[in-house]
Coordinates of all heavy atoms in Angstrom, one line a residue:
M50 N 0.8 -1.2 0.0 CA 0.0 0.0 0.0 C 0.9 1.3 0.0 O 0.5 2.3 -0.6 CB -0.9 0.0 1.2 CG -2.0 -1.0 1.2 SD -3.1 -0.8 -0.3 CE -3.6 0.9 -0.1
T51 N 2.0 1.2 0.6 CA 2.8 2.4 0.7 C 3.3 2.8 -0.7 O 3.2 4.0 -0.9 CB 4.1 2.1 1.6 OG1 3.6 1.7 2.9 CG2 5.0 3.3 1.7
W52 N 3.7 1.9 -1.5 CA 4.1 2.4 -2.8 C 3.0 2.9 -3.7 O 3.2 3.9 -4.5 CB 4.9 1.2 -3.6 CG 4.0 0.1 -4.0 CD1 3.8 -1.1 -3.4 CD2 3.4 0.0 -5.3 NE1 3.0 -1.9 -4.1 CE2 2.7 -1.3 -5.3 CE3 3.2 0.8 -6.4 CZ2 1.9 -1.7 -6.4 CZ3 2.5 0.4 -7.5 CH2 1.8 -0.9 -7.5
I53 N 1.8 2.5 -3.5 CA 0.7 3.1 -4.2 C 0.4 4.5 -3.7 O 0.3 5.4 -4.5 CB -0.6 2.2 -4.0 CG1 -0.5 0.9 -4.7 CG2 -1.8 3.0 -4.6 CD1 -1.8 0.0 -4.5
R54 N 0.4 4.6 -2.4 CA 0.2 6.0 -1.8 C 1.2 7.0 -2.2 O 1.0 8.1 -2.6 CB 0.0 5.9 -0.3 CG -1.2 5.1 0.1 CD -1.4 4.8 1.5 NE -1.5 6.1 2.3 CZ -2.7 6.8 2.4 NH1 -3.7 6.3 1.8 NH2 -2.7 7.9 3.1
E55 N 2.5 6.5 -2.2 CA 3.6 7.4 -2.7 C 3.5 7.8 -4.1 O 3.7 8.9 -4.5 CB 4.9 6.8 -2.4 CG 5.3 6.7 -0.9 CD 5.3 8.1 -0.2 OE1 5.8 9.0 -0.8 OE2 4.8 8.2 0.9
S56 N 3.1 6.8 -5.0 CA 2.9 7.1 -6.4 C 1.8 8.1 -6.6 O 2.0 9.0 -7.5 CB 2.6 5.8 -7.1 OG 3.7 4.9 -7.1
V57 N 0.7 7.9 -5.9 CA -0.4 8.9 -6.1 C 0.0 10.3 -5.6 O -0.3 11.3 -6.3 CB -1.7 8.4 -5.3 CG1 -2.8 9.4 -5.3 CG2 -2.2 7.1 -6.0
R58 N 0.7 10.3 -4.5 CA 1.2 11.7 -4.0 C 2.1 12.3 -5.0 O 2.0 13.5 -5.2 CB 2.0 11.5 -2.7 CG 1.1 11.5 -1.5 CD 1.9 11.5 -0.2 NE 1.1 11.0 0.9 CZ 1.2 9.8 1.4 NH1 2.1 9.0 0.9 NH2 0.5 9.4 2.4
W59 N 3.0 11.6 -5.6 CA 3.9 12.1 -6.6 C 3.1 12.6 -7.8 O 3.5 13.6 -8.4 CB 4.9 11.0 -7.0 CG 5.8 11.4 -8.1 CD1 7.0 12.1 -7.9 CD2 5.7 11.2 -9.5 NE1 7.6 12.3 -9.2 CE2 6.8 11.8 -10.1 CE3 4.7 10.6 -10.3 CZ2 6.9 11.7 -11.5 CZ3 4.9 10.5 -11.6 CH2 6.0 11.1 -12.2
L60 N 2.1 11.9 -8.2 CA 1.3 12.3 -9.4 C 0.4 13.5 -9.2 O 0.1 14.2 -10.1 CB 0.5 11.0 -9.7 CG -0.3 11.1 -11.0 CD1 0.6 11.2 -12.2 CD2 -1.2 9.8 -11.1
T61 N -0.1 13.7 -8.0 CA -1.1 14.8 -7.7 C -0.8 16.1 -8.3 O -1.7 16.8 -8.9 CB -1.5 14.9 -6.3 OG1 -0.3 15.2 -5.5 CG2 -2.2 13.6 -5.8
P62 N 0.4 16.7 -8.2 CA 0.6 18.0 -8.8 C 0.4 18.1 -10.3 O 0.2 19.2 -10.8 CB 2.1 18.3 -8.5 CG 2.5 17.4 -7.4 CD 1.6 16.2 -7.5
R63 N 0.4 17.0 -11.0 CA 0.3 16.9 -12.4 C -1.2 16.7 -12.9 O -1.4 16.6 -14.1 CB 1.2 15.8 -13.0 CG 2.7 16.1 -12.7 CD 3.5 14.8 -12.7 NE 4.8 15.1 -12.3 CZ 5.3 15.1 -11.1 NH1 4.5 15.0 -10.1 NH2 6.6 15.3 -10.9
L64 N -2.1 16.6 -11.9 CA -3.5 16.3 -12.3 C -4.3 17.5 -12.4 O -4.0 18.6 -11.9 CB -4.1 15.4 -11.1 CG -3.4 14.1 -10.9 CD1 -4.0 13.5 -9.6 CD2 -3.6 13.2 -12.1
D65 N -5.4 17.4 -13.2 CA -6.4 18.4 -13.2 C -7.1 18.6 -11.9 O -6.9 17.7 -11.0 CB -7.4 18.2 -14.4 CG -8.4 17.1 -14.1 OD1 -7.9 16.0 -13.6 OD2 -9.6 17.2 -14.3
R66 N -7.8 19.6 -11.7 CA -8.4 19.9 -10.4 C -9.3 18.8 -9.8 O -9.2 18.4 -8.7 CB -9.2 21.2 -10.5 CG -9.8 21.6 -9.2 CD -10.6 22.9 -9.4 NE -11.2 23.3 -8.1 CZ -11.4 24.5 -7.7 NH1 -11.0 25.5 -8.5 NH2 -11.9 24.8 -6.6
D67 N -10.2 18.2 -10.7 CA -11.1 17.2 -10.2 C -10.3 15.9 -9.8 O -10.6 15.4 -8.7 CB -12.1 16.9 -11.3 CG -13.2 15.9 -10.9 OD1 -13.7 16.1 -9.8 OD2 -13.4 14.9 -11.6
A68 N -9.4 15.5 -10.6 CA -8.6 14.3 -10.3 C -7.8 14.5 -9.1 O -7.6 13.6 -8.2 CB -7.8 13.8 -11.5
F69 N -7.2 15.7 -8.9 CA -6.4 16.1 -7.8 C -7.2 15.9 -6.5 O -6.7 15.3 -5.5 CB -5.9 17.6 -7.9 CG -5.2 18.1 -6.7 CD1 -3.8 17.9 -6.7 CD2 -5.9 18.7 -5.7 CE1 -3.1 18.4 -5.6 CE2 -5.2 19.2 -4.6 CZ -3.8 19.1 -4.5
H70 N -8.4 16.4 -6.5 CA -9.3 16.3 -5.3 C -9.7 14.9 -5.0 O -9.7 14.5 -3.8 CB -10.5 17.2 -5.4 CG -10.1 18.7 -5.3 ND1 -9.6 19.2 -4.1 CD2 -10.2 19.7 -6.2 CE1 -9.4 20.5 -4.3 NE2 -9.7 20.8 -5.6
R71 N -10.0 14.1 -6.0 CA -10.3 12.7 -5.8 C -9.1 11.9 -5.2 O -9.2 11.1 -4.3 CB -10.7 12.0 -7.1 CG -12.2 12.4 -7.5 CD -12.7 11.5 -8.6 NE -11.8 11.2 -9.7 CZ -11.6 11.9 -10.8 NH1 -12.3 13.0 -10.9 NH2 -10.8 11.5 -11.7
A72 N -7.9 12.2 -5.8 CA -6.7 11.6 -5.3 C -6.4 11.9 -3.8 O -6.2 11.0 -3.0 CB -5.5 11.9 -6.1
W73 N -6.6 13.2 -3.5 CA -6.3 13.6 -2.1 C -7.4 13.1 -1.1 O -7.1 12.7 0.0 CB -6.1 15.1 -1.9 CG -4.7 15.4 -2.2 CD1 -4.2 16.0 -3.4 CD2 -3.5 15.1 -1.4 NE1 -2.8 16.1 -3.3 CE2 -2.4 15.6 -2.1 CE3 -3.4 14.5 -0.2 CZ2 -1.1 15.4 -1.6 CZ3 -2.1 14.4 0.3 CH2 -1.0 14.9 -0.4
A74 N -8.6 12.9 -1.6 CA -9.7 12.3 -0.8 C -9.3 10.9 -0.5 O -9.5 10.4 0.6 CB -11.0 12.4 -1.5
W75 N -8.8 10.1 -1.5 CA -8.4 8.8 -1.3 C -7.2 8.7 -0.4 O -7.2 7.8 0.5 CB -8.1 8.1 -2.7 CG -7.6 6.7 -2.5 CD1 -8.4 5.6 -2.3 CD2 -6.3 6.2 -2.5 NE1 -7.7 4.5 -2.2 CE2 -6.3 4.8 -2.4 CE3 -5.1 6.8 -2.7 CZ2 -5.2 4.0 -2.3 CZ3 -3.9 6.0 -2.7 CH2 -4.0 4.6 -2.5
L76 N -6.3 9.6 -0.5 CA -5.1 9.6 0.4 C -5.5 9.9 1.8 O -4.9 9.4 2.7 CB -4.1 10.6 -0.1 CG -3.3 10.2 -1.4 CD1 -2.5 11.4 -1.9 CD2 -2.4 9.0 -1.1
G77 N -6.5 10.7 2.0 CA -6.9 11.1 3.3 C -7.9 10.1 4.0 O -8.2 10.2 5.2
D78 N -8.3 9.1 3.2 CA -9.2 8.1 3.7 C -8.5 7.0 4.5 O -8.2 5.9 3.9 CB -10.1 7.5 2.6 CG -11.1 6.5 3.1 OD1 -11.3 6.3 4.3 OD2 -11.7 5.9 2.2
H79 N -8.1 7.2 5.7 CA -7.3 6.3 6.5 C -8.1 5.0 6.8 O -7.5 3.9 6.9 CB -6.8 7.0 7.8 CG -5.9 8.1 7.5 ND1 -4.7 8.0 6.9 CD2 -6.1 9.4 7.6 CE1 -4.1 9.2 6.7 NE2 -5.0 10.1 7.1
R80 N -9.4 5.2 7.0 CA -10.2 4.0 7.2 C -10.2 3.1 6.0 O -10.1 1.8 6.1 CB -11.7 4.4 7.6 CG -12.5 3.3 8.0 CD -13.9 3.8 8.5 NE -14.6 2.8 9.1 CZ -15.9 2.9 9.4 NH1 -16.6 3.9 9.0 NH2 -16.5 1.9 10.0
G81 N -10.3 3.7 4.8 CA -10.2 2.9 3.6 C -8.9 2.2 3.4 O -8.8 1.1 2.9
A82 N -7.8 2.9 3.8 CA -6.5 2.3 3.8 C -6.4 1.1 4.7 O -5.8 0.1 4.3 CB -5.4 3.3 4.1
D83 N -7.0 1.2 5.9 CA -7.0 0.0 6.8 C -7.8 -1.1 6.2 O -7.4 -2.3 6.3 CB -7.6 0.4 8.1 CG -6.8 1.3 8.9 OD1 -5.6 1.4 8.7 OD2 -7.3 2.0 9.8
V84 N -8.9 -0.9 5.5 CA -9.7 -1.9 4.8 C -8.8 -2.6 3.7 O -8.9 -3.8 3.6 CB -11.0 -1.3 4.3 CG1 -11.7 -2.3 3.4 CG2 -11.9 -0.9 5.4
A85 N -8.1 -1.8 3.0 CA -7.2 -2.3 1.9 C -6.2 -3.2 2.5 O -5.9 -4.3 1.9 CB -6.6 -1.2 1.1
V86 N -5.6 -2.9 3.6 CA -4.6 -3.7 4.2 C -5.2 -5.0 4.7 O -4.6 -6.1 4.5 CB -3.9 -3.0 5.4 CG1 -3.0 -3.9 6.2 CG2 -3.0 -1.8 4.8
Q87 N -6.4 -4.9 5.3 CA -7.1 -6.1 5.7 C -7.4 -7.0 4.6 O -7.3 -8.3 4.7 CB -8.4 -5.8 6.5 CG -8.1 -5.1 7.8 CD -7.2 -5.9 8.7 OE1 -7.4 -7.1 8.9 NE2 -6.2 -5.2 9.4
T88 N -7.8 -6.5 3.4 CA -8.1 -7.2 2.2 C -6.8 -8.0 1.8 O -6.9 -9.2 1.5 CB -8.5 -6.3 1.1 OG1 -9.7 -5.6 1.5 CG2 -8.8 -7.0 -0.2
L89 N -5.7 -7.3 1.8 CA -4.4 -8.0 1.5 C -4.1 -9.1 2.5 O -3.7 -10.2 2.1 CB -3.3 -7.0 1.4 CG -3.4 -6.0 0.2 CD1 -2.4 -4.9 0.4 CD2 -3.0 -6.8 -1.1
R90 N -4.3 -8.9 3.7 CA -4.0 -9.9 4.7 C -4.9 -11.1 4.6 O -4.6 -12.2 5.0 CB -4.2 -9.3 6.1 CG -3.0 -8.4 6.4 CD -3.1 -7.8 7.8 NE -1.9 -7.0 8.1 CZ -1.9 -6.0 9.0 NH1 -3.0 -5.8 9.7 NH2 -0.8 -5.3 9.1
R91 N -6.1 -10.9 4.0 CA -7.0 -12.1 3.7 C -6.6 -12.8 2.5 O -7.3 -13.7 2.1 CB -8.5 -11.6 3.6 CG -9.1 -11.2 5.0 CD -10.6 -11.1 4.8 NE -11.0 -10.1 3.8 CZ -11.2 -8.8 3.9 NH1 -11.0 -8.3 5.1 NH2 -11.5 -8.1 2.9
G92 N -5.6 -12.3 1.8 CA -5.1 -13.0 0.6 C -5.7 -12.6 -0.7 O -5.6 -13.2 -1.7
Q93 N -6.4 -11.4 -0.6 CA -7.1 -10.9 -1.8 C -6.3 -9.7 -2.4 O -5.7 -8.9 -1.6 CB -8.5 -10.5 -1.5 CG -9.3 -11.6 -1.0 CD -10.7 -11.1 -0.4 OE1 -10.8 -10.0 0.0 NE2 -11.6 -12.0 -0.4
P94 N -6.3 -9.5 -3.7 CA -5.6 -8.3 -4.3 C -6.4 -7.1 -4.0 O -7.6 -7.1 -3.7 CB -5.6 -8.6 -5.8 CG -6.6 -9.6 -6.0 CD -6.8 -10.4 -4.7
Y95 N -5.7 -5.9 -4.1 CA -6.4 -4.6 -3.9 C -5.9 -3.8 -5.1 O -4.8 -3.8 -5.5 CB -5.9 -4.0 -2.6 CG -6.4 -2.6 -2.5 CD1 -7.7 -2.3 -2.1 CD2 -5.6 -1.5 -2.8 CE1 -8.2 -1.0 -2.0 CE2 -6.1 -0.2 -2.7 CZ -7.4 0.0 -2.3 OH -7.9 1.3 -2.2
A96 N -6.9 -3.0 -5.6 CA -6.6 -2.2 -6.8 C -7.2 -0.8 -6.5 O -8.2 -0.6 -5.9 CB -7.2 -2.7 -8.1
Y97 N -6.4 0.2 -7.0 CA -6.9 1.6 -7.0 C -6.7 2.2 -8.4 O -5.7 2.0 -9.0 CB -6.1 2.4 -6.0 CG -6.4 3.9 -6.0 CD1 -7.6 4.4 -5.6 CD2 -5.5 4.8 -6.5 CE1 -7.9 5.7 -5.6 CE2 -5.8 6.2 -6.6 CZ -7.0 6.6 -6.1 OH -7.3 7.9 -6.2
G98 N -7.8 2.8 -8.8 CA -7.7 3.5 -10.1 C -8.0 4.9 -10.0 O -8.8 5.4 -9.2
L99 N -7.4 5.7 -10.9 CA -7.6 7.2 -10.9 C -7.7 7.6 -12.4 O -6.8 7.4 -13.2 CB -6.4 7.9 -10.3 CG -6.5 9.4 -10.2 CD1 -7.7 9.9 -9.3 CD2 -5.2 10.0 -9.6
D100 N -8.9 8.2 -12.7 CA -9.1 8.7 -14.0 C -8.9 10.2 -14.1 O -9.3 10.9 -13.2 CB -10.5 8.3 -14.5 CG -10.7 6.9 -14.7 OD1 -9.8 6.2 -15.0 OD2 -11.9 6.4 -14.5
A101 N -8.3 10.6 -15.1 CA -8.1 12.1 -15.4 C -8.3 12.3 -16.9 O -8.3 11.3 -17.7 CB -6.7 12.5 -15.0
P102 N -8.6 13.5 -17.3 CA -8.8 13.7 -18.8 C -7.6 13.2 -19.6 O -7.9 12.7 -20.7 CB -9.0 15.2 -18.9 CG -9.4 15.6 -17.5 CD -8.8 14.7 -16.6
A103 N -6.4 13.3 -19.2 CA -5.3 13.0 -20.0 C -4.9 11.5 -19.9 O -4.2 11.0 -20.8 CB -4.1 13.8 -19.6
A104 N -5.3 10.8 -18.9 CA -4.9 9.4 -18.7 C -5.7 8.7 -17.7 O -6.4 9.3 -16.9 CB -3.4 9.4 -18.3
R105 N -5.5 7.4 -17.6 CA -6.1 6.5 -16.6 C -5.0 5.7 -15.9 O -4.2 5.1 -16.6 CB -7.1 5.6 -17.2 CG -7.6 4.5 -16.2 CD -8.6 3.6 -16.9 NE -9.9 4.3 -17.0 CZ -10.9 3.8 -17.6 NH1 -10.9 2.7 -18.2 NH2 -12.1 4.5 -17.6
W106 N -4.9 5.8 -14.6 CA -3.9 5.1 -13.9 C -4.6 4.0 -13.1 O -5.7 4.2 -12.6 CB -3.1 6.0 -13.0 CG -2.2 6.9 -13.7 CD1 -1.0 6.7 -14.1 CD2 -2.6 8.3 -14.0 NE1 -0.5 7.8 -14.7 CE2 -1.4 8.8 -14.7 CE3 -3.7 9.1 -13.9 CZ2 -1.4 10.1 -15.2 CZ3 -3.7 10.4 -14.4 CH2 -2.5 10.9 -15.0
R107 N -3.9 2.9 -12.9 CA -4.4 1.8 -12.1 C -3.2 1.1 -11.4 O -2.3 0.7 -12.1 CB -5.2 0.8 -12.9 CG -5.8 -0.4 -12.1 CD -6.6 -1.2 -12.9 NE -7.1 -2.4 -12.2 CZ -8.2 -2.4 -11.5 NH1 -9.0 -1.3 -11.4 NH2 -8.6 -3.5 -10.8
W108 N -3.3 1.0 -10.1 CA -2.3 0.3 -9.3 C -3.0 -1.0 -8.7 O -4.1 -0.9 -8.2 CB -1.8 1.2 -8.2 CG -1.1 2.4 -8.6 CD1 0.3 2.5 -8.7 CD2 -1.6 3.7 -8.9 NE1 0.6 3.8 -9.1 CE2 -0.5 4.5 -9.2 CE3 -2.9 4.2 -9.0 CZ2 -0.7 5.8 -9.6 CZ3 -3.1 5.5 -9.4 CH2 -2.0 6.3 -9.7
T109 N -2.3 -2.1 -8.7 CA -2.8 -3.3 -8.2 C -1.7 -3.9 -7.3 O -0.6 -4.0 -7.7 CB -3.2 -4.3 -9.3 OG1 -4.1 -3.7 -10.2 CG2 -3.9 -5.5 -8.7
V110 N -2.2 -4.3 -6.1 CA -1.3 -5.0 -5.1 C -1.8 -6.4 -5.0 O -3.0 -6.6 -4.7 CB -1.3 -4.3 -3.8 CG1 -0.3 -4.9 -2.8 CG2 -0.9 -2.8 -3.9
Y111 N -0.9 -7.4 -5.1 CA -1.2 -8.8 -4.8 C -0.5 -9.2 -3.6 O 0.7 -9.0 -3.4 CB -0.8 -9.6 -6.0 CG -1.5 -9.3 -7.3 CD1 -1.0 -8.4 -8.2 CD2 -2.7 -9.9 -7.6 CE1 -1.6 -8.1 -9.4 CE2 -3.4 -9.6 -8.7 CZ -2.8 -8.7 -9.6 OH -3.5 -8.4 -10.8
P112 N -1.2 -10.0 -2.7 CA -0.5 -10.6 -1.6 C 0.5 -11.6 -2.1 O 0.3 -12.3 -3.1 CB -1.6 -11.3 -0.8 CG -2.9 -11.0 -1.5 CD -2.6 -10.3 -2.7
V113 N 1.6 -11.7 -1.5 CA 2.7 -12.6 -1.9 C 2.2 -14.0 -1.9 O 2.6 -14.8 -2.8 CB 4.0 -12.4 -1.0 CG1 5.0 -13.4 -1.4 CG2 4.5 -11.0 -1.2
S114 N 1.3 -14.4 -1.1 CA 0.9 -15.7 -1.0 C 0.1 -16.2 -2.2 O -0.1 -17.4 -2.4 CB 0.0 -15.9 0.3 OG -1.2 -15.1 0.2
V115 N -0.4 -15.3 -3.0 CA -1.1 -15.7 -4.2 C -0.3 -15.6 -5.5 O -0.8 -15.9 -6.6 CB -2.4 -14.8 -4.4 CG1 -3.4 -15.0 -3.2 CG2 -2.2 -13.4 -4.7
L116 N 0.9 -15.2 -5.4 CA 1.7 -15.1 -6.6 C 2.2 -16.5 -7.0 O 2.4 -17.4 -6.2 CB 3.0 -14.3 -6.4 CG 2.7 -12.8 -6.2 CD1 4.1 -12.1 -5.8 CD2 2.1 -12.2 -7.4
P117 N 2.2 -16.8 -8.3 CA 2.7 -18.1 -8.8 C 4.2 -18.3 -8.5 O 4.9 -17.3 -8.3 CB 2.4 -18.1 -10.3 CG 2.4 -16.6 -10.6 CD 1.9 -15.9 -9.4
P118 N 4.7 -19.5 -8.6 CA 6.1 -19.7 -8.4 C 6.9 -18.9 -9.5 O 6.3 -18.6 -10.6 CB 6.3 -21.2 -8.6 CG 4.9 -21.8 -8.4 CD 3.9 -20.7 -8.7
P119 N 8.2 -18.6 -9.3 CA 8.9 -17.7 -10.2 C 9.0 -18.3 -11.6 O 9.2 -17.5 -12.5 CB 10.3 -17.7 -9.5 CG 10.2 -18.2 -8.2 CD 8.9 -19.0 -8.1
H120 N 8.9 -19.6 -11.8 CA 9.1 -20.1 -13.2 C 7.8 -20.0 -14.0 O 7.8 -20.2 -15.2 CB 9.5 -21.6 -13.1 CG 8.5 -22.5 -12.5 ND1 8.4 -22.6 -11.1 CD2 7.5 -23.3 -13.0 CE1 7.4 -23.4 -10.8 NE2 6.9 -23.9 -11.9
H121 N 6.7 -19.5 -13.4 CA 5.5 -19.3 -14.2 C 5.5 -17.8 -14.7 O 6.1 -17.0 -14.2 CB 4.3 -19.4 -13.3 CG 4.0 -20.8 -12.9 ND1 2.9 -21.2 -12.2 CD2 4.7 -22.0 -13.1 CE1 2.9 -22.5 -12.0 NE2 4.0 -23.0 -12.6
H122 N 4.8 -17.6 -15.8 CA 4.7 -16.3 -16.4 C 3.3 -15.7 -16.0 O 2.3 -16.4 -16.0 CB 4.8 -16.4 -17.9 CG 6.2 -16.9 -18.3 ND1 7.3 -16.1 -18.3 CD2 6.6 -18.1 -18.7 CE1 8.3 -16.8 -18.7 NE2 7.9 -18.0 -18.9
F123 N 3.4 -14.4 -15.8 CA 2.1 -13.6 -15.6 C 1.4 -13.5 -16.9 O 2.0 -13.4 -17.9 CB 2.4 -12.3 -15.0 CG 2.9 -12.3 -13.6 CD1 4.3 -12.1 -13.3 CD2 2.1 -12.7 -12.5 CE1 4.7 -12.2 -12.0 CE2 2.5 -12.7 -11.2 CZ 3.9 -12.5 -11.0
P124 N 0.1 -13.4 -16.9 CA -0.6 -13.1 -18.1 C -0.3 -11.8 -18.6 O -0.1 -10.8 -17.9 CB -2.1 -13.2 -17.7 CG -2.1 -13.2 -16.2 CD -0.8 -13.5 -15.7
I125 N -0.2 -11.7 -19.9 CA 0.2 -10.4 -20.6 C -1.1 -9.6 -20.8 O -2.0 -10.1 -21.4 CB 0.9 -10.6 -21.9 CG1 2.2 -11.4 -21.6 CG2 1.2 -9.3 -22.6 CD1 3.0 -11.8 -22.9
E126 N -1.1 -8.4 -20.3 CA -2.2 -7.5 -20.5 C -1.9 -6.5 -21.6 O -0.8 -6.6 -22.2 CB -2.4 -6.7 -19.2 CG -2.8 -7.6 -18.0 CD -3.1 -6.8 -16.7 OE1 -3.3 -5.6 -16.8 OE2 -3.1 -7.5 -15.7
N127 N -2.8 -5.6 -21.9 CA -2.5 -4.6 -22.9 C -1.3 -3.8 -22.5 O -1.0 -3.6 -21.3 CB -3.7 -3.6 -23.0 CG -4.9 -4.4 -23.5 OD1 -4.8 -5.3 -24.2 ND2 -6.1 -3.9 -23.2
P128 N -0.5 -3.4 -23.4 CA 0.8 -2.7 -23.1 C 0.4 -1.4 -22.4 O -0.6 -0.8 -22.7 CB 1.4 -2.5 -24.4 CG 0.4 -2.7 -25.5 CD -0.6 -3.6 -24.9
V129 N 1.3 -1.0 -21.5 CA 1.1 0.3 -20.8 C 1.5 1.4 -21.7 O 2.5 1.3 -22.4 CB 2.0 0.3 -19.5 CG1 1.9 1.7 -18.9 CG2 1.7 -0.8 -18.6
R130 N 0.7 2.4 -21.8 CA 0.9 3.5 -22.7 C 1.1 4.8 -21.8 O 0.5 5.0 -20.8 CB -0.2 3.7 -23.6 CG -0.4 2.5 -24.5 CD -1.4 2.7 -25.5 NE -1.5 1.5 -26.3 CZ -2.2 1.3 -27.3 NH1 -2.9 2.3 -27.8 NH2 -2.2 0.2 -28.0
S131 N 1.9 5.6 -22.3 CA 2.2 6.9 -21.6 C 1.6 8.0 -22.4 O 1.7 8.0 -23.7 CB 3.7 7.1 -21.5 OG 4.0 8.3 -21.0
Y132 N 0.9 8.9 -21.8 CA 0.3 10.0 -22.4 C 0.9 11.3 -21.9 O 1.0 11.5 -20.7 CB -1.2 10.0 -22.2 CG -1.9 8.8 -22.8 CD1 -2.2 7.7 -22.0 CD2 -2.3 8.8 -24.1 CE1 -2.8 6.6 -22.5 CE2 -2.9 7.7 -24.6 CZ -3.2 6.6 -23.8 OH -3.8 5.5 -24.3
E133 N 1.2 12.2 -22.8 CA 1.7 13.5 -22.4 C 0.8 14.5 -22.9 O 0.2 14.4 -23.9 CB 3.1 13.7 -23.0 CG 4.2 12.8 -22.4 CD 5.6 13.2 -22.9 OE1 5.7 14.3 -23.4 OE2 6.4 12.3 -22.9
S134 N 0.6 15.6 -22.1 CA -0.2 16.7 -22.4 C 0.4 17.5 -23.5 O 1.7 17.7 -23.5 CB -0.5 17.6 -21.2 OG -1.1 16.8 -20.2
P135 N -0.3 18.0 -24.4 CA 0.3 18.9 -25.4 C 0.8 20.2 -24.8 O 0.3 20.6 -23.8 CB -0.8 19.2 -26.4 CG -2.1 18.7 -25.8 CD -1.7 17.8 -24.6
P136 N 1.9 20.7 -25.3 CA 2.5 21.9 -24.7 C 1.6 23.1 -24.7 O 0.7 23.2 -25.3 CB 3.7 22.2 -25.5 CG 3.7 21.3 -26.7 CD 2.6 20.3 -26.5

């Protein structure tokens, strides 16, 4: 959870006003963070998504106990794309 929260904090100055406020509301929701940690402790993944006009971000945390052995491959999802705002 820490790396998601740090990533969102790092991203907030670059967001539009609406996404900025949604991100900070999520960051300030300490009860929700506790629920997310409990979800991970129960062996379930947790995901947070943030939509903005320029891009959509999604972070997913998996408990280590549900990861396959190292010799297995993860399913390949759509490639990650980077979007930059026009100057």
Side-chain angles (χ1 to χ4, degrees):
M50 288 304 302
T51 301
W52 69 269
I53 292 177
R54 294 176 63 80
E55 289 300 318
S56 295
V57 172
R58 275 190 201 99
W59 176 84
L60 185 64
T61 56
R63 295 153 186 86
L64 297 173
D65 70 317
R66 183 180 177 147
D67 186 46
F69 176 88
H70 289 294
R71 284 195 317 273
W73 276 104
W75 180 78
L76 288 168
D78 182 7
H79 299 291
R80 189 173 189 195
D83 290 341
V84 170
V86 169
Q87 293 303 316
T88 299
L89 289 166
R90 287 183 178 157
R91 285 193 306 271
Q93 300 169 335
Y95 174 80
Y97 173 69
L99 181 62
D100 292 332
R105 170 182 281 175
W106 291 274
R107 182 174 175 87
W108 294 265
T109 306
V110 181
Y111 295 94
V113 174
S114 62
V115 299
L116 292 176
H120 62 279
H121 289 186
H122 296 282
F123 291 105
I125 298 174
E126 298 180 14
N127 294 333
V129 176
R130 296 183 184 188
S131 175
Y132 297 95
E133 293 186 19
S134 302

